Amino acid sequence: MSDPAAGSESTGENVAGERPEPEPEGVTDETTVQGDDVELERTIGLVGGLAIGIGTMIGAGIFVFPGLAAEEAGLAATLSFAIGGVIALLVALPTSELATAMPRSGGGYYFISRSMGTPYGAIVGLGLWLGLVFASAFYLVGLGHYVVAVLAETGVVLTGLPVGPHVILGLLFGAALTALSVGGTENTATLQNVIVVILLAVLTGFLTYGVLDAAGVFGRQSVPQEFFSQGQLPVLTTAALVFTSYLGFAQVATVAGEIKQPGRNLPLAMVGSVIVVTIFYVVTIFVATSSFGAERLGTFGETAMVEVARDLLGRPGAVLILFAGLLATFSSANASILSASRSVYALSRDALLPRWASRINLKYGTPHIALGMAGGPILVLVATDQVEILAEVASFLHLVMYSLICVALLVLRRRDPPWYDPSFQIPGYPVVPIVGAVASAGLIAFMNPASIVIGAAVMGGSYLWYRYYATDVRLKGDV
């Protein structure tokens, strides 16, 4: 296995006098050994990696966006989701190669900091942490809404609470998931596997019925529609809107230090999760628009899929999709909290955040303080109940990182340092990373201007933090 520190040492100190931790003394298929014989165990297999990627991506994309996307782009929203999937795949391939060469916790941050330098790494690393915090809060509020909707469907209405019941439920689930992650990633991954298997089974059955219904097998007629009913430009603006749904594959890279047999499992988990989820998204939009037509579907907003299920299968179908949406938002929040904490862990070990943030719980082998630094801000954001724009900011920050990941691969291939020896190499080099970088950056241009401004402010703040706290730190690996 390659070692990015081979032949060089990270140098410099932050304002607290802390130096970057040395690279892991040993990276095997089972453990990542840090100093003082502390091991970050590799407990996540291929199924667990796929579950993290699919579980995160299958949430908002399936259960929140169909109505909003149909209103924006009509039936052509299927093309918007396909465009998002292609861009995600273009980035997943370079990410897979980098992850097999550097299977460490931190993902894109680690790759960029070791190939392009500390300032780029600090901006991306802090942005990734905050982006995952924002996304996790969004998922938890959505989870709260689904719980409330499920209860309302069964006749239970929560009243007399000081704040919205979905906020209280989101806070409770956020605290519970953070505590579960402290108890060990093996517990978290097992739970993730169970949820994703159930979710995929429910969606496969529902969408199969929906496709057959759209084909007229059950005697009903689909609503006739023009494909580009809203024009061509909304296809791209909708792709920018729904790209939040594709953030999950990169979550696998952030826990690369805990993936078993990373040379095999990392590429399969990242690429596989993108392909599987893209198929589900496109089929979902097709089924949904076939039931009501894009114009009417758009009037249902974020609960459009519940109404599609009610139209196809009656009240049992609506309850089934509510239950699936509950699992999806739970799964997304679970995976994002885990990944956010690992970003903090990597930043702390590199002296870009205080050293105490990377302490490992000796009983469970997990970075418990990093989990707290993820879970705490997430709960604060959930309590505000104003996270929709923050979800778009999360998409902005991830697209910046994805573009730089592609650039990082180009840099490493060109410099060819002796330690860079990936066990997986992407096909189509250099076209794939070049197109991936341009496409990721280009999609940002179609986002909401407010999201771009806030995202840019987060990046600026991250750079200022680096200049104040760790301007003398130099993370080496590419020289």
Side-chain angles (χ1 to χ4, degrees), residues 1-8 97-98 101-102 110-117 407-422 425 429 475-479:
M1 189 68 66
S2 58
D3 184 354
S8 65
E97 176 174 328
L98 292 170
M102 297 175 275
Y110 190 91
F111 310 150
I112 292 167
S113 64
R114 266 52 179 189
S115 60
M116 300 179 66
V407 174
L409 177 62
L410 293 168
V411 169
L412 286 173
R413 285 284 196 101
R414 182 177 179 181
R415 294 183 179 178
D416 194 23
W419 55 263
Y420 187 70
D421 184 25
Q425 291 192 329
Y429 179 88
L475 301 174
K476 296 185 178 180
D478 58 313
V479 294

Side-chain angles (χ1 to χ4, degrees), residues 59 91 97 121 195 232 235 254 265 267 308 311 323 354 473:
V91 179
E97 176 174 328
I195 290 175
Q232 285 80 35
V235 173
T254 65
N265 291 337
V308 172
D311 178 65
F323 173 70
V473 172

Side-chain angles (χ1 to χ4, degrees), residues 238-254:
T238 302
L241 169 69
V242 303
F243 193 78
T244 309
S245 307
Y246 288 98
L247 306 185
F249 77 88
Q251 317 290 50
V252 182
T254 65

Side-chain angles (χ1 to χ4, degrees), residues 431-449:
V431 175
V432 170
I434 291 174
V435 175
V438 172
S440 298
L443 196 59
I444 292 175
F446 297 95
M447 295 183 70
N448 186 312

Side-chain angles (χ1 to χ4, degrees), residues 19 42 72 76 91 100 111 197 265 268-269 280 300 323 346 393 408 425:
R19 300 173 64 86
R42 294 187 180 276
E72 181 77 16
V91 179
T100 61
F111 310 150
V197 168
N265 291 337
L268 289 176
F280 270 94
F300 296 127
F323 173 70
V393 172
Q425 291 192 329

Side-chain angles (χ1 to χ4, degrees), residues 7-102:
S8 65
E9 292 291 338
S10 296
T11 61
E13 296 181 347
N14 60 25
V15 295
E18 299 166 340
R19 300 173 64 86
E21 289 280 357
E23 294 295 321
E25 296 173 2
V27 178
T28 71
D29 285 343
E30 300 300 328
T31 60
T32 301
V33 183
Q34 312 288 0
D36 301 323
D37 296 324
V38 176
E39 295 187 356
L40 191 61
E41 295 186 20
R42 294 187 180 276
T43 58
I44 304 174
L46 174 58
V47 174
L50 282 168
I52 289 174
I54 294 173
T56 304
M57 289 190 285
I58 208 107
I62 294 290
F63 298 99
V64 176
F65 282 134
L68 303 177
E71 183 179 25
E72 181 77 16
L75 180 58
T78 55
L79 183 57
S80 300
F81 275 100
I83 290 171
V86 170
I87 293 176
L89 188 60
L90 287 170
V91 179
L93 288 167
T95 304
S96 298
E97 176 174 328
L98 292 170
T100 61
M102 297 175 275

Side-chain angles (χ1 to χ4, degrees), residues 338-362:
L338 174 65
S339 297
S341 70
R342 297 321 186 254
S343 297
V344 174
Y345 175 83
L347 288 163
S348 174
R349 286 189 57 81
D350 285 341
L352 300 180
L353 286 175
R355 179 59 39 78
W356 44 260
S358 61
R359 290 176 187 163
I360 298 291
N361 185 297
L362 297 180

